[in-house]
Amino acid sequence: MIRTMPRSRGTALGLKLYVILYFIFLFAPLLVTCILAFNDSQFPSLPWKGFTVEWFTGDKPDRLGIFHDQINIDSIWVSIRVAFFVTLLSLGVGTCGAFLFEQEQFPGKQAFYFLMISPLVIPGVILGISILMFSTTLGVFFENHWGLDVALFRPGFWLVVLGQFSFIATLVTLVVSARLKKFDRSLEEAAMNLGASRFEVIWHITLRFLKPAIIGSGAVAFLMSFENFNTSLFLVGSEATLPINLYLQVRDGSTPVINAISFLLIVGTSMLALLNLYFSKKKD
Amino acid sequence: MDKNGMHDRLRWGLLLFLTPVFLWLVLLIVLPQIDLLIMSFRVESGYGDSSWSLYNYRQFFEEPIYWLTFVRTAVYSVLVTFLTFVVALPVAFYITKVVHPRFQGFLTVLLLLPFWVSELVRVYGWMILLRESGVINHFLLRMGLLQQPVEMLYQDATMIMGLVYTSMLFMVVPLISALESLDNSLIEAAYDLGANMGSILYKIIIPHATPGIVSGSIVVFMLTLGNYLTPNLMGGKNSLWFTEQIYNQFIASFNWNQGSAFGFLLLFLSSVIVWLGLKLTRQNLRKVVQ
Amino acid sequence: MMQIDLSVQHVLKRFGDFTAVNDISFDVESGRFFSILGPSGCGKTTLLRMIAGLAELDSGRIEIRGKDMAGISPNRRPVNLIFQNLALFPMMDVGANIAFGLQRRGESKSGIREKVSAILDRVDLAGFESKRIDQLSGGQKQRVAIARCLVLEPAVLLLDEPLGALDLKLREQMKVELKKLQAKVGTTFVYITHDQSEALVMSDYVAVMNHGEFEQIDTPQNLYSRPQTPFVAQFVGDNNAWSGTIRNCEGTVGEIETDDGFHFRSELHQPLPVGAAVDLFLRPESMLIQPDPSLPDLNRFEVVVRSTLFDGANSRLLVHPVNAETELLVALPQTHQYDYIQKDDTIEIGWATPSGICFPK
């Protein structure tokens, strides 16, 4: 039944077959998407009409490849910028959160901790609408009282960043906290004993120890932001992020150019994933 | 350094860490949720003034399409969570307990890889597989198993499969780590004491893995309940997932008060079911999150 | 003729090129405490797991109470195993742990409750049913693990170094307790360990295992006083070792010239031709300090004291012969008779011919 024990042929074979089927289930949609990115056809479907890379490089109006598709390229660029700022903000605040909950004592800490993990149990759609509404309320308030028109309060780039940050920061906090828990605090005490201030200690000792967790959660934060749909849906202004832009195209009918973008995303994220894994393996 | 100086320094540290976290949670979580709650209890009269009212909630209960969708979303989310668990358990078991340790790492990586790719890409993959002109229909026609193409998309079963697929990762990972910590000798001891496969599963494996199962289930349930993409693209065309109703109120009808009420109901539903799940399995959220 | 509870016949197990258990055969009579003693990696755990059914045999046959166990899965065998880490189920309380096997047999609820409380009584844990596993001390866990198996009334109880995780004091105590418990319940025990003292103290018979084979199956007394192989001589108890050559041989007494130049008369394990290379072993307690000059037939030689290794009743002198570097251990009886011996003193050592244990190389 388990590998240390003898087991019946039937069960073992059945389980193996199941796992193989599971992996087929897992990879079939991705493989098909990738393959059809190279089909010489107007539609992302079979039959196979020959190999082409025109959905990447084509520049004719009826075969506009991704490299010449300005709308999609723009949305990729928007997504990258959003993800960059979300990662930066989440890492900063999330690391503060980790220190706060692991090393500081203050009244109401328990309740505050639950508040910190609550974004995990609030559906992304609701985060999106509540932030949209609150920013609108603030916008109206500022306009009525001071006659100020604050761009930040209107759907757009920064609101998307804030919306995604609101729950990705929780993830960073949890990952960094988990690492901080393993930190031997006598190292900090030793450093303080040797004359370092609290902030010197954090900078030279603790943050150095947290680096792998910060890098790892940063990579995950970047990807989560890059792929976020639910929260962003309500907060985008004129600059659509890639998932929103793709969603609109998929909903209204599709061309193999979507397969081409998907292919690039699959290859790109797989490499990032493997890289992340490689580094996390190395540090162990 | 005197005691007071030390004390002051620590307070400064607390303030430094607390401020950004406080701003984040208050400005982006607490106040927006309160605003959501307030908005849901207000109605706009024609000229931009608004007043307190239960109208939005009454509307929800009086309009069958709303509460039917709500119930349907809740029931399907529970079903998806259960199916995800059933599909994931044998895989987690195989990887942690059966396969040769040499392949363990490789299989785990393989298992996680698809989930690094955007949900949209994965759903899109299923669409080109399943639709009327899709790849599966193409092969079935070719092999003569079908006379004419069948629309496999836009059906409840397909949508459920898609939701299971989308949330699989969040069940498999906690299951794998839960089973990894299960000492093989417990399984052997149970076997030695006369247990068969079934009783080992119910008496040893599932009780041991309960924290993992609960945390996986909560995340899967949450994500399914709040999912918009998969039901929208793979399910039927007529907004039968509750998030679609919310979207319609906000974007199509521009009725934010009604949308807020729906949003708040969804939040309430998810909290109640998560709370129930925790109570029934005697787990607590802090433990589950870790 | 006593009933044979466990019969192992020509059992063989390979892992790839490595032979873990090489053609082992033995029988255990009903009610015996049988130990398998060997260094780690000698294959004893594999052997035990094969008896329990947790590992498959490549060839050979295992019978329990005369019934061939081939093809019978662990959950249907009349043997139970105490795991090295005890493998108590942390998700159940003590009562549920013990009831587990009975429930699998589908016994009635009231019957189970009675049996559980009776067996807990037996292992001196009466009333412990509702305790959680993590509330128990090391010794209590031990007894729960034993009770969990004994309640099923197995033909043979297998024990896989269950005392290994305990601290020294508790281990000494549990040795005695386990022996008493076995005598009380009368179940056949097969116990594996790498700790010779556990095996010698508790067992009726001990099999010494090395490289997948049994070197000797014997009573603890015989293993110690009449080892049959060099491995047993060295593994069981402490021994001083010389290598040397036979110079003369009369029956089973030989004259040996050691490599460092001594001439000794020693009992031989078997008659040997002159010139044969041999290993000579001598227990520390076989060596007499400053023997009375009137004692005849002693091998006598002078040694220099390097240090005194005080260990209560088990104290020794670490010495080396006057003109050799070989280190020897000599038992130092704590009778104050030898208190005058100091470091760097030269003293005479003697040993009698029958004390020598000598094997051909």
Side-chain angles (χ1 to χ4, degrees), chain A residues 1-7 11-12 15-16 18-19 22-23 25-30 32-33 36 44-47 93 95-97 99-101 104-106 110 112-127 129-137 162 165-167 169-170 173-174 181 192 197-199 202 219-220 223 227 229-230 233-234 242-243 246-247 250-251 254-256 258-259 262 265-266 269-270 272-274 276-277 281, chain B residues 6 9-14 16-18 20-22 24-25 27-33 35-36 39 86-88 90-91 93-101 104-105 107 109-111 113-122 124-129 131 133-135 138-139 142 161 164-165 168 172 184 187-188 191 197 200 218 222-223 225-229 232-233 243 246-247 250-251 256 259-260 263-264 266-267 270 274 285-286 289-290:
Chain A
M1 168 160 17
I2 56 180
R3 66 179 152 263
T4 50
M5 274 160 50
R7 51 181 179 265
T11 338
L15 194 58
K16 202 171 200 167
Y18 177 85
V19 172
Y22 177 82
F23 275 102
F25 169 67
L26 218 51
F27 281 94
L30 299 184
V32 168
T33 306
L36 290 182
S45 61
L46 288 175
V93 175
T95 308
C96 281
F99 276 103
L100 185 68
F101 291 111
E104 301 292 340
Q105 296 305 327
F106 55 95
Q110 188 74 9
F112 207 55
Y113 182 82
F114 277 107
L115 190 59
M116 186 275 291
I117 54 180
S118 67
L120 289 185
V121 285
I122 301 175
V125 170
I126 293 176
L127 282 178
I129 58 171
S130 64
I131 290 173
L132 171 66
M133 254 174 351
F134 183 60
S135 66
T136 309
T137 307
L162 286 177
F165 156 78
S166 71
F167 70 96
T170 297
T173 307
L174 289 176
K181 235 181 222 100
M192 275 195 187
S197 73
R198 173 109 169 97
F199 297 110
I202 288 173
V220 175
L223 268 180
E227 292 167 359
F229 178 84
N230 281 356
L233 181 63
F234 296 92
L242 182 64
L246 281 180
Y247 165 72
V250 168
R251 196 181 58 180
S254 51
T255 63
I258 297 173
N259 293 58
S262 301
L265 282 180
I266 290 170
T269 44
S270 305
L272 194 61
L274 290 176
N276 190 28
L277 193 90
K281 272 267 161 61
Chain B
M6 179 88 181
R9 224 168 273 202
L10 288 179
R11 290 288 99 178
W12 275 110
L14 175 63
L16 178 89
F17 296 137
L18 187 60
V21 179
F22 186 81
W24 155 39
L25 293 175
L27 289 181
L28 293 177
I29 307 295
V30 177
L31 291 178
Q33 300 302 321
D35 198 28
L36 184 77
M39 285 292 272
V86 170
V87 171
V91 179
F93 186 76
Y94 184 80
I95 287 184
T96 49
K97 298 292 170 197
V98 180
V99 79
H100 195 284
Q104 221 168 347
L107 283 184
V109 173
L110 213 57
L111 203 64
L113 214 49
F115 299 98
W116 286 75
V117 180
S118 165
E119 184 187 351
L120 191 99
V121 172
R122 285 178 275 146
Y124 177 67
W126 280 115
M127 289 174 75
I128 55 181
L129 270 174
R131 65 180 164 204
S133 58
V135 173
H138 179 82
F139 280 116
R142 263 273 185 86
M161 185 217 70
V164 168
Y165 181 86
M168 191 59 77
V172 164
N184 284 348
I187 296 178
E188 292 174 355
Y191 201 24
M197 266 290 236
I200 290 177
I218 287 179
M222 288 289 319
L223 290 177
L225 200 64
N227 201 321
Y228 177 83
L229 261 183
N232 189 253
L233 291 176
T243 48
I246 296 177
Y247 181 85
F250 265 86
I251 308 294
W256 286 18
S260 302
F264 199 75
L266 189 69
L267 187 61
S270 75
V274 167
L285 193 59
R286 184 183 264 263
V289 166
Q290 291 155 357

Side-chain angles (χ1 to χ4, degrees), chain C residues 169-186:
Chain C
K169 193 104 187 177
L170 193 55
R171 193 155 64 213
E172 292 301 316
Q173 200 184 323
M174 281 307 294
K175 267 189 231 170
V176 181
E177 247 182 74
L178 206 53
K179 173 78 186 163
K180 281 201 290 204
L181 185 70
Q182 193 264 342
K184 192 156 80 173
V185 297

Side-chain angles (χ1 to χ4, degrees), chain A residues 12-230:
Chain A
L13 203 71
L15 194 58
K16 202 171 200 167
L17 205 69
Y18 177 85
V19 172
I20 291 172
L21 281 176
Y22 177 82
F23 275 102
I24 292 175
F25 169 67
L26 218 51
F27 281 94
L30 299 184
L31 279 179
V32 168
T33 306
C34 287
I35 291 168
L36 290 182
F38 299 97
N39 191 10
D40 193 2
S41 158
Q42 283 306 110
F43 304 101
S45 61
L46 288 175
W48 186 255
K49 291 186 176 164
F51 179 86
T52 181
V53 289
E54 276 188 2
W55 293 112
F56 292 87
T57 58
D59 57 359
K60 282 165 267 162
D62 65 329
R63 283 273 170 108
L64 196 60
I66 167 68
F67 298 144
H68 296 277
D69 183 342
Q70 203 51 48
I71 297 172
N72 278 318
I73 290 178
D74 284 348
S75 72
I76 290 176
W77 181 233
V78 170
S79 277
I80 290 177
R81 270 162 47 223
V82 168
F84 172 78
F85 285 110
V86 168
T87 307
L88 211 65
L89 261 175
S90 307
L91 284 183
V93 175
T95 308
C96 281
F99 276 103
L100 185 68
F101 291 111
E102 289 303 317
Q103 300 201 338
E104 301 292 340
Q105 296 305 327
F106 55 95
K109 182 174 163 180
Q110 188 74 9
F112 207 55
Y113 182 82
F114 277 107
L115 190 59
M116 186 275 291
I117 54 180
S118 67
L120 289 185
V121 285
I122 301 175
V125 170
I126 293 176
L127 282 178
I129 58 171
S130 64
I131 290 173
L132 171 66
M133 254 174 351
F134 183 60
S135 66
T136 309
T137 307
L138 280 183
V140 170
F141 183 83
F142 273 53
E143 178 127 34
N144 289 349
H145 284 73
W146 298 301
L148 287 171
D149 180 22
V150 185
L152 176 67
F153 295 145
R154 284 199 306 270
F157 182 84
W158 289 106
L159 217 50
V160 173
V161 170
L162 286 177
Q164 296 184 356
F165 156 78
S166 71
F167 70 96
I168 292 177
T170 297
L171 177 109
V172 174
T173 307
L174 289 176
V175 174
V176 177
S177 290
R179 174 113 181 134
L180 194 53
K181 235 181 222 100
K182 293 188 200 138
F183 180 68
D184 178 5
R185 290 209 74 180
S186 65
L187 292 182
E188 285 189 344
E189 288 162 359
M192 275 195 187
N193 187 259
L194 293 170
S197 73
R198 173 109 169 97
F199 297 110
E200 284 170 331
V201 167
I202 288 173
W203 184 253
H204 291 290
I205 314 282
T206 326
L207 278 181
R208 196 113 340 148
F209 174 81
L210 293 178
K211 209 167 115 189
I214 292 177
I215 292 175
S217 59
V220 175
F222 190 92
L223 268 180
M224 278 181 87
S225 160
F226 195 82
E227 292 167 359
N228 180 271
F229 178 84
N230 281 356

Side-chain angles (χ1 to χ4, degrees), chain C residues 83-98:
Chain C
F83 287 74
Q84 196 158 12
N85 62 357
L86 304 181
L88 295 175
F89 304 134
M91 58 291 267
M92 305 175 196
D93 60 16
V94 169
N97 260 281
I98 296 174

